């Protein structure tokens, strides 16, 4: 019998996304992606060919949440990797990128940008930072509360089951729910730090860090006076550690992804379309014998 600290119920899984598997997702015991891409808008990356052995018998006896819970308990699962996207935060009121009328791209039209995506490029930020700063004011941690799914991530950690959570989200709600920073890889960055972005004497690998609370205070000042004063103080614009197009993804993502996924014994995927690379490529690193649970 499994020890008490690894006990988890199907109801806890359902509450995490507020839906049943029949209406919101499915379960796989094989790879669920197609051909891997070789590059994305943030830079090139590679995916090694899988050398997994053929699976002779089903890993799961049935495709439902009760079976996943039974698998966790009976197989003494303790290395769960979670991949999550905007879908786990929208119920908190956090806008996603592409939804009509409410998405970040649609909301960016009020800034009279050539393209909505311009609010998320490094060049546009350097030329006109105010639209991005306005987005930051709206999304700053504390404006939204973690959802049941964020608390479920903390639950997995508390029970000793979570190896790592990889998130596409920039809202920092995972840590507001109590997930330790070492258990999180924020693939697109988040609000947990800030740095100078347009100083010419520092390389991409070495950033001049700024207290994120100082940036928050500056952005809350009247008009552009706050961030202008901050730029004068540090010799360049300061922004949260959110990855814009034109910037490298966090080195932590590349350092940890292969070992985390190859060692995992269960992969949970919540609230993501799995179309944005290189985040979606994480699936390719998990052994073929590892079950995947997708809830969207």
């Amino acid at each position: 019998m499994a020890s008490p600290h690894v006990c988890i119920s199907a109801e806890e899984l359902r509450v995490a996304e507020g839906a049943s598997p029949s209406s919101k997702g499915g379960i796989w015991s094989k790879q669920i992606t197609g051909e891997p891409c070789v590059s994305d808008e943030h830079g090139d990356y590679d995916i090694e060919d899988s050398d997994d052995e053929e699976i002779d018998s089903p890993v799961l006896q049935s495709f439902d949440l009760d079976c996943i819970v039974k698998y966790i308990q009976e197989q003494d699962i303790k290395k769960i990797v979670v991949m999550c996207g905007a879908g786990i935060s929208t119920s908190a009121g956090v806008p996603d990128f592409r939804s009509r009328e409410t998405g970040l791209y649609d909301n960016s039209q009020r800034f009279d940008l050539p393209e909505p995506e311009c609010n998320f490029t490094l060049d546009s930020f350097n030329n006109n930072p105010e639209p991005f700063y306005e987005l930051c004011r709206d999304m700053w941690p504390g404006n939204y509360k973690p959802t049941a799914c964020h608390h479920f991530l903390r639950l997995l950690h508390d029970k000793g089951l979570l190896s790592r959570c990889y998130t596409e989200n920039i809202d920092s709600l995972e840590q507001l729910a109590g997930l330790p920073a070492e258990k999180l890889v924020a693939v697109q960055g988040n609000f947990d730090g800030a740095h100078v972005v347009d100083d010419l004497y520092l390389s991409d690998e070495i950033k001049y860090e700024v207290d994120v609370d100082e940036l928050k205070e500056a952005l809350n000042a009247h008009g552009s006076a706050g961030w202008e004063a901050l730029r004068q103080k540090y010799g360049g614009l300061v922004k949260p550690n959110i990855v814009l197009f034109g910037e490298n993804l966090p080195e932590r993502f590349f350092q940890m992804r292969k070992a985390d996924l190859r060692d995992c014994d269960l992969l949970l995927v919540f609230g993501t379309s799995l179309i944005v690379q290189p985040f979606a490529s994480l699936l390719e690193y998990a052994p073929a014998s590892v079950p995947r649970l997708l809830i969207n």
Side-chain angles (χ1 to χ4, degrees):
M1 180 176 294
S3 57
H5 81 281
V6 299
C7 182
I8 192 167
S9 68
E11 184 61 26
E12 287 170 324
L13 276 171
R14 292 188 180 96
V15 168
E17 279 294 315
S20 66
S22 60
S23 62
K24 299 289 284 184
I27 299 173
W28 284 263
S29 58
K30 295 183 178 180
Q31 296 283 8
I32 60 174
T33 59
E35 292 298 321
C37 297
V38 295
S39 66
D40 81 326
E41 293 165 289
H42 291 296
D44 294 333
Y45 61 93
D46 64 293
I47 300 175
E48 297 177 3
D49 293 334
S50 173
D51 57 358
D52 290 318
E53 71 282 359
E54 291 291 328
I55 301 174
D56 296 328
S57 59
V59 177
L60 302 175
Q61 299 305 309
S62 62
F63 295 152
D64 53 52
L65 293 181
D66 290 322
C67 184
I68 286 288
V69 172
K70 183 178 180 182
Y71 176 78
I72 292 173
Q73 294 173 333
E74 293 185 350
Q75 301 300 320
D76 196 26
I77 299 303
K78 295 180 181 178
K79 294 182 179 180
I80 297 176
V81 170
V82 178
M83 298 171 58
C84 54
I88 75 168
S89 293
T90 51
S91 62
V94 178
D96 61 12
F97 277 88
R98 294 175 176 82
S99 292
R100 292 185 178 180
E101 298 184 0
T102 62
L104 293 175
Y105 285 158
D106 264 18
N107 288 338
S108 295
Q109 293 180 6
R110 70 183 189 271
F111 299 117
D112 195 27
L113 300 171
E115 297 289 341
E117 294 83 355
C118 289
N119 201 17
F120 305 94
T121 68
L122 187 59
D123 286 343
S124 292
F125 175 77
N126 284 328
N127 292 328
N128 179 19
E130 183 55 37
F132 182 75
Y133 282 145
E134 184 63 26
L135 168 70
C136 291
R137 294 185 189 100
D138 293 341
M139 295 192 64
W140 205 277
N143 294 342
Y144 302 96
K145 295 181 179 180
T147 67
C149 193
H150 295 105
H151 290 293
F152 177 71
L153 299 176
R154 166 70 183 273
L155 178 69
L156 291 178
H157 167 68
D158 289 346
K159 290 178 177 288
L161 304 177
L162 183 67
S163 175
R164 204 86 60 199
C165 172
Y166 286 78
T167 179
E168 293 179 289
N169 300 333
I170 64 174
D171 51 41
S172 295
L173 289 181
E174 298 88 2
Q175 287 177 262
L176 283 180
L179 189 67
E182 65 268 18
K183 290 294 182 178
L184 182 70
V185 176
V187 181
Q188 304 291 346
N190 56 23
F191 287 91
D192 292 346
H195 64 276
V196 182
V197 297
D198 59 351
D199 48 342
L200 301 179
Y201 60 90
L202 292 176
S203 68
D204 288 339
E205 289 74 26
I206 304 175
K207 290 185 171 66
Y208 189 88
E209 300 294 332
V210 176
D211 189 331
V212 71
D213 290 331
E214 185 179 4
L215 173 60
K216 179 181 180 181
E217 182 178 351
L219 293 184
N220 287 335
H222 180 69
S224 62
W227 60 260
E228 287 282 11
L230 207 60
R231 175 159 63 175
Q232 292 297 319
K233 178 179 178 179
Y234 290 105
L237 288 167
V238 178
K239 76 170 185 66
N241 292 342
I242 295 170
V243 178
L244 298 178
F245 294 115
E247 290 187 298
N248 293 327
L249 295 181
E251 188 62 27
R252 178 175 169 81
F253 170 71
F254 298 103
Q255 291 173 342
M256 308 189 77
R257 58 178 179 169
K258 291 184 180 180
D260 280 348
L261 272 295
R262 287 174 178 171
D263 290 343
C264 78
D265 42 26
L266 178 63
L267 181 57
L268 305 180
V269 185
F270 296 148
T272 173
S273 61
L274 293 175
I275 61 173
V276 177
Q277 296 288 358
F279 178 81
S281 70
L282 292 173
L283 291 165
E284 300 292 337
Y285 294 109
S289 59
V290 171
R292 289 103 158 111
L293 167 65
L294 172 66
I295 301 181
N296 269 341

